[in-house]
């Protein structure tokens, strides 16, 4: 019997839609949004000025190739602009990669608590997401390699990972690449790379340059604070760039994003200020929250994962409600398989201190 209405392709109805972090706290005068890993310092003033400058010419299509933006990224990172593709956020690029390299019946691997866009992008192509177990909330290279089958076509690796904030050293990334068949595409998602201050970490640019099966995605939403403009970029071998360019929208990056992106990526001083703010408050929050009897997963990014005991009413759900009522909005990570944890973005000094005080009140309160 024929279907009585159009049917989406297999996999689409298996997708759990992505749920962004909450933005508000109804009835609260001042809200501190700590749920989306946004920059507490905001964007570079130069990026804001560049964005406003486009307002006089909204009738013009943007440059479909984002040429000047790719050239600016190339200058900053020492890359060939021809090997760069820009997109409407790194999410756009992750989906384009999935569309270009996955088909019905293929498999793509991500880790247990990997970014939720990976399974969404995979299922949307009719392919199957395969989950590789993590070890102590950290990517386990051996588990990924063990999950590879003849159907594996893509491996998504967030390094550092969201929402855990953990990372694997560059030697482990190289070991992963060496262990994959040459026809498997390794996608390095380095959205939080600018925040990492570890000697054994590298983004993977060298691995991209030297191999035919590695690409790296980056975003302007985090340290550059251009989340509202949806802007990201990827660098890869010429053949991957060619494939992605064939299927991306002809104007997938808007003109204000292009101009603001150029100014942002070139403002090294603003980037360093953002790094220093994070370097000050990440260890402080980890230590102060730990003193309250809560476990914090060691993070190298601009957020921390706070684990609640789950007993005597000290659950993540109860904490979320308690904090939201005080205007402190954190991110539930139950959708990531972490029902008793909340993710908190590093905020302004005021937000960070208020958060620690409120958590102290919550943990000390009698239930």
């Amino acid at each position: 019997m024929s279907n009585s209405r159009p049917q989406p392709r297999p996999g689409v109805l298996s997708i759990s839609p992505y749920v962004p972090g909450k933005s508000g706290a109804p009835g609260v005068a001042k809200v501190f949004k700590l749920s989306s890993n946004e920059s507490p310092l905001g964007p570079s003033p130069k990026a804001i000025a560049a964005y406003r400058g486009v307002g006089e010419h909204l009738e013009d299509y943007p440059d479909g190739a984002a040429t000047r933006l790719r050239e600016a990224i190339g200058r900053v990172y020492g890359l060939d602009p021809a090997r760069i593709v820009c997109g409407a956020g790194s999410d756009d690029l992750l989906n384009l990669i999935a569309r270009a390299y996955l088909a019905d019946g293929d498999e793509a691997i991500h880790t247990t608590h990997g970014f939720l866009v990976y399974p969404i992008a995979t299922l949307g192509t009719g392919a199957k997401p395969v989950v590789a177990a993590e070890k102590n909330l950290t990517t386990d290279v051996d588990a990924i390699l063990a999950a590879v089958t003849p159907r594996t076509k893509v491996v998504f690796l967030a390094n550092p990972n969201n929402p855990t904030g953990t990372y694997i050293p560059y030697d482990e990334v190289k070991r992963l690449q060496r262990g994959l068949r040459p026809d498997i595409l390794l996608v390095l998602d380095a959205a939080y790379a600018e925040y990492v201050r570890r000697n054994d970490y590298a983004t993977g640019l060298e691995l991209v340059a030297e191999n035919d099966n590695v690409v790296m995605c980056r975003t302007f939403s985090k340290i550059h604070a251009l989340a509202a403009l949806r802007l990201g970029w990827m660098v890869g071998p010429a053949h991957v760039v060619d494939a992605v360019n064939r299927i991306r929208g002809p104007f997938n990056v808007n003109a204000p994003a292009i101009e603001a992106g150029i100014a942002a990526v070139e403002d090294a001083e603003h980037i360093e200020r953002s790094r220093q703010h994070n370097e000050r408050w990440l260890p402080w929050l980890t230590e102060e929250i730990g003193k309250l009897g809560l476990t914090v997963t060691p993070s190298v990014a601009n957020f921390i994962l706070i684990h609640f005991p789950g007993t005597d009413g000290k659950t993540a759900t109860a904490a979320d409600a308690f904090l939201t009522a005080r205007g402190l909005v954190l991110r539930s990570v139950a959708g990531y398989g972490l029902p008793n944890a909340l993710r908190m973005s590093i905020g302004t000094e005021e937000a960070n201190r208020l958060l620690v005080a409120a958590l102290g009140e919550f943990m000390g309160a009698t239930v």
Side-chain angles (χ1 to χ4, degrees), residues 328-363:
L328 296 156
V329 180
L330 273 62
R331 177 74 148 96
S332 165
V333 285
Y336 283 93
L338 296 162
N340 239 5
L342 293 175
R343 192 192 68 198
M344 173 204 170
S345 313
I346 308 303
T348 60
E349 177 173 357
E350 181 185 10
N352 296 336
R353 292 189 184 280
L354 285 172
L355 188 282
V356 169
L359 274 179
E361 195 182 337
F362 172 75
M363 292 303 291

Side-chain angles (χ1 to χ4, degrees), residues 5-59:
R5 61 185 183 185
Q7 298 295 316
R9 63 174 300 135
V12 170
L13 296 183
S14 301
I15 294 171
S16 299
Y18 184 86
V19 180
K22 286 187 302 186
S23 356
V28 180
K30 186 170 184 180
V31 175
F32 296 92
K33 185 185 173 196
L34 304 172
S35 58
S36 295
N37 301 341
E38 294 154 342
S39 167
L41 303 190
S44 157
K46 294 174 182 175
I48 295 171
Y51 166 82
R52 287 182 174 145
V54 182
E56 300 295 319
H57 302 283
L58 297 183
E59 72 280 6

Side-chain angles (χ1 to χ4, degrees), residues 282-296:
L282 177 64
W284 185 86
L285 282 162
T286 303
E287 186 180 344
E288 293 300 317
I289 293 170
K291 288 177 185 173
L292 303 175
L294 293 164
T295 303
V296 178

Side-chain angles (χ1 to χ4, degrees), residues 73-99:
I73 294 167
R75 282 193 300 274
V76 170
Y77 290 96
L79 300 172
D80 177 359
R83 298 288 181 90
I84 296 170
V85 184
C86 295
S90 52
D91 297 2
D92 180 29
L93 297 164
L94 294 169
N95 277 284
L96 287 170
I97 289 166
R99 279 178 55 203

